[in-house]
């Protein structure tokens, strides 16, 4: 199937699910995840109207950025090493993977240097998995309080990579818990924050994520085909 067809079907499905749970599909941002995907395929996706691109490696993002104009929003969705923050800070729209104070220190330092405000999400390890990065669910509130003390970092919400389940329905309880965390974070009304983003849902589980309140979906293989 073509990328164009994949995107059309995906957007139709998003609209259908939004209708079924009384949500406005205009409130949903689709991030096309393009790790290992070529420039040509990426341009095809952008021609279909997608504006947001997600990469999980700094090196790959840097190599690709040059081939696109300023209209593309770049999302860092993978684990971010401190020593690489400086390479992406002036181009990245949203860092999804803030998972520690030391990384926040470096994002603050580089943002101040560039005289910019950097938008971030706190990555939450919602399944408490040893193999995954992210803040433990019960530490989100205290971590969020720390993050909002940085002058050049603006907290926008939460992100999670749910455990992979062949039967996606199984992640629903965790996604409900994420949404609960997100609502709690909103209600804290922390200064220096604008809590409007819950980034969860991938090719395998975006339907459940939408039903449970995700505002941002990160979808790769469904659009571009399986990665080799
Ligand atoms: C690869 C990746 C995705 C997209 O995964 P698909 O299953 O291809 O949709 C989303 N989020 C993160 C953090 C990823 O690394």
């Amino acid at each position: 199937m073509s990328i164009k067809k994949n995107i059309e079907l995906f957007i139709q499905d998003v609209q259908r699910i939004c209708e079924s749970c009384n949500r406005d599909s205009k409130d949903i941002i689709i991030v096309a995840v393009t790790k290992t995907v070529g420039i040509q395929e990426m341009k095809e996706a952008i021609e279909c109207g997608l504006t947001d691109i997600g990469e999980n490696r700094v090196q790959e993002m840097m190599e690709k950025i040059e081939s696109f104009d300023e209209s593309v929003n770049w999302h860092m969705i993978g684990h971010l090493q401190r020593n690489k923050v400086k390479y992406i800070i002036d181009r990245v729209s949203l860092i999804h993977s803030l998972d520690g104070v030391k990384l926040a220190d470096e994002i603050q330092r580089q943002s101040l240097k560039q005289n910019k405000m950097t938008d971030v999400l706190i990555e939450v390890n919602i399944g408490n998995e040893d193999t995954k990065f992210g803040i433990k669910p019960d530490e989100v509130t205290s971590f969020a309080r720390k993050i909002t003390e940085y002058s050049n970092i603006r907290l926008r919400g939460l992100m999670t990579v749910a455990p992979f389940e062949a039967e996606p329905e199984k992640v629903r309880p965790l996604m409900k818990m994420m949404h609960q965390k997100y609502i709690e974070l909103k209600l804290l009304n922390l200064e220096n924050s604008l809590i409007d983003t819950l980034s969860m849902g991938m090719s395998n589980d975006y339907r459940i994520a939408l039903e449970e309140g995700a505002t941002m979906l990160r979808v790769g293989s469904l659009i571009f085909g399986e990665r080799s």
Side-chain angles (χ1 to χ4, degrees):
M1 261 225 260
S2 71
I3 289 170
K4 183 161 184 270
K5 195 74 197 160
N6 289 344
I7 292 173
E8 278 171 11
L9 290 175
F10 175 59
I11 288 176
Q12 278 170 22
D13 201 34
V14 168
Q15 285 168 344
R16 185 187 59 79
I17 298 162
C18 282
E19 269 167 38
S20 76
C21 53
N22 275 315
R23 301 189 62 192
D24 190 340
S25 61
K26 289 193 205 70
D27 298 336
I28 311 297
I29 295 175
I30 295 167
V31 177
V33 176
T34 55
K35 57 191 184 211
T36 76
V37 173
I39 304 288
Q40 210 47 51
E41 286 91 343
M42 290 170 69
K43 294 212 159 154
E44 226 177 301
I46 287 165
E47 271 163 28
C48 296
L50 297 186
T51 51
D52 291 77
I53 296 286
E55 286 284 345
N56 68 335
R57 290 176 56 242
V58 167
Q59 178 76 25
E60 191 171 345
M61 183 185 277
M62 305 256 304
E63 282 166 13
K64 288 173 170 175
I65 277 179
E66 294 166 12
S67 304
F68 296 87
D69 65 28
E70 302 274 327
S71 66
V72 175
N73 301 320
W74 293 87
H75 297 250
M76 176 42 65
I77 63 172
H79 180 62
L80 181 55
Q81 286 172 304
R82 272 177 283 158
N83 61 352
K84 300 211 171 134
V85 171
K86 57 179 174 286
Y87 300 121
I88 57 160
I89 200 72
D90 61 332
R91 289 301 307 275
V92 75
S93 296
L94 182 61
I95 296 173
H96 292 228
S97 45
L98 179 56
D99 59 2
V101 171
K102 286 184 174 158
L103 176 58
D105 284 343
E106 181 62 9
I107 294 172
Q108 166 63 27
R109 209 169 70 87
Q110 296 298 339
S111 302
L112 190 63
K113 245 188 186 171
Q114 301 274 344
N115 194 23
K116 75 164 279 204
M117 185 68 95
T118 300
D119 283 335
V120 303
L121 304 177
I122 295 173
E123 180 169 358
V124 183
N125 185 356
I126 196 69
N128 267 311
E129 296 173 276
D130 294 338
T131 51
K132 289 218 171 97
F133 292 102
I135 300 295
K136 292 199 184 86
D138 55 1
E139 289 168 6
V140 170
T141 302
S142 61
F143 185 64
R145 284 189 193 282
K146 275 186 214 147
I147 293 315
T148 51
E149 284 169 10
Y150 294 91
S151 60
N152 293 63
I153 296 179
R154 179 169 50 201
L155 182 59
R156 298 291 297 268
L158 303 176
M159 174 272 214
T160 197
V161 180
F164 179 83
E165 295 283 354
E167 176 44 66
E169 193 57 43
K170 287 198 178 139
V171 301
R172 192 183 293 279
L174 291 178
M175 288 188 167
K176 269 195 204 303
M177 200 161 107
M178 264 309 281
H179 185 249
Q180 190 56 41
K181 293 273 164 209
Y182 172 67
I183 297 299
E184 282 167 23
L185 182 59
K186 256 185 202 276
L187 293 175
L188 284 179
N189 269 319
L190 295 170
E191 265 181 62
N192 215 12
S193 72
L194 174 69
I195 307 301
D196 62 359
T197 305
L198 177 55
S199 169
M200 70 176 181
M202 305 173 23
S203 295
N204 186 51
D205 56 14
Y206 72 89
R207 293 189 173 93
I208 316 279
L210 270 179
E211 287 169 1
E212 297 305 333
T215 69
M216 194 175 269
L217 307 173
R218 308 178 309 269
V219 173
S221 49
L222 199 76
I223 294 175
F224 301 105
E226 290 300 326
R227 287 176 293 273
S228 46

